[in-house]
């Protein structure tokens, strides 16, 4: 039952992300916060997959034109698939990393799948580090985009990460990607110094 609730919540957030994307809004960012995107390299691929899904929908419509009941079912599934693919990209766009110095928190995110709040005082160091993804060790969280991360955060004490289906783990090393990795690192260091 818990898994079913998590999946329904995911789908509702996906639709909400589409709405935020159309309205050109950002989720969870206050006026004083700085946002850092991580979607620059994935948009073309997402829309390429969506285009392939549209082509597949047209092909299935032609193949199933003599079976209207099957045609309608497959058409609904195809439209949902296109919405899902575009929604995943929209979720990445409207849920960037958020640095809120007033609240003393850095939110490191990856679309709908991860949203980790890290108090600034727990960040021991932050550095640019381009890494290809690998199986993370215990206590590590990799939020890769395009199979790579560009920023590494080392924490003084572990923080609790709640996974997609509610599983909890303590992490001391967080790796993520930012389009402007140098600006991200500089902003976090400045915020840590001010805090």
């Amino acid at each position: 039952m818990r898994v079913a609730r998590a999946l329904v919540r995911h789908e509702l957030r996906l639709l909400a992300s589409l709405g935020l994307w159309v309205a050109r809004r950002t989720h969870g960012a206050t006026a004083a916060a700085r946002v850092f995107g991580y979607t620059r390299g994935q948009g073309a691929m997402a829309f390429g997959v969506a285009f392939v899904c549209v082509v597949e929908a047209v092909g299935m419509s032609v193949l199933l034109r003599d079976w209207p009941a099957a045609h309608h079912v497959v058409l609904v599934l195809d439209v949902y698939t296109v919405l899902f693919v575009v929604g995943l990209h929209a979720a990445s766009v409207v849920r960037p990393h958020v640095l809120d110095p007033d609240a003393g928190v850095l939110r490191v995110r990856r679309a709908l799948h991860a949203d980790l709040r890290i108090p600034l005082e727990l960040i021991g160091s932050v550095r640019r580090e381009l890494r290809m993804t690998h199986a993370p060790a215990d206590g590590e969280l990799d939020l890769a985009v395009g199979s790579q991360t560009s920023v590494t955060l080392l924490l003084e004490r572990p923080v609790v990460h709640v996974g997609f289906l509610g599983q909890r783990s303590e992490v001391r090393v967080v790796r993520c990607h930012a389009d402007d990795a140098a600006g991200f690192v500089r902003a976090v260091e400045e915020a840590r110094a001010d805090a």
Side-chain angles (χ1 to χ4, degrees):
M1 190 62 160
R2 182 173 55 92
V3 173
R5 277 197 305 265
L7 291 174
V8 168
R9 188 170 50 245
H10 179 270
E11 299 305 305
L12 292 174
R13 287 180 179 166
L14 198 70
L15 293 175
S17 295
L18 281 169
L20 287 170
W21 191 45
V22 169
R24 303 181 72 79
R25 299 232 186 249
T26 302
H27 176 270
T30 62
R34 292 189 59 187
V35 297
F36 297 91
Y38 49 84
T39 61
R40 188 178 300 149
Q42 75 182 26
M45 186 172 69
F47 288 110
V49 171
F51 176 75
V52 168
C53 292
V54 169
V55 169
E56 185 265 343
V58 171
M60 290 304 291
S61 292
V62 170
L63 291 174
L64 296 174
R65 67 180 170 260
D66 295 333
W67 296 281
H71 174 259
H72 289 99
V73 169
V74 171
L75 181 62
V76 167
L77 291 174
D78 285 338
V79 169
Y80 172 76
T81 302
V82 171
L83 279 175
F84 185 82
V85 169
V86 174
L88 283 177
H89 177 67
S92 295
V93 172
V94 302
R95 287 177 164 79
H97 306 306
V98 178
L99 175 62
D100 191 347
D102 293 345
V105 173
L106 170 65
R107 287 178 79 175
V108 179
R109 306 197 275 189
R110 176 69 175 98
L112 298 171
H113 310 297
D115 188 349
L116 182 65
R117 295 170 190 259
I118 305 171
L120 292 176
E121 67 267 11
L122 293 186
I123 299 174
S125 68
V126 57
R127 67 179 181 269
R128 283 184 67 189
E129 180 181 36
L130 185 62
R131 292 177 61 119
M132 300 309 286
T133 54
H134 59 286
D138 286 341
E140 294 182 357
L141 177 65
D142 284 355
L143 304 175
V145 174
S147 299
Q148 68 181 14
T149 60
S150 57
V151 176
T152 300
L153 298 150
L154 301 176
L155 308 181
E156 298 286 339
R157 292 192 313 273
V159 295
V160 176
H161 171 251
V162 180
F164 176 65
L165 296 175
Q167 66 275 23
R168 302 170 79 78
S169 61
E170 290 189 343
V171 294
R172 289 189 73 120
V173 177
V174 179
R175 293 186 183 93
C176 63
H177 178 70
D179 292 337
D180 178 15
F184 180 86
V185 168
R186 193 168 41 253
V188 171
E189 288 175 339
E190 291 169 2
R192 284 177 58 226
D194 292 343

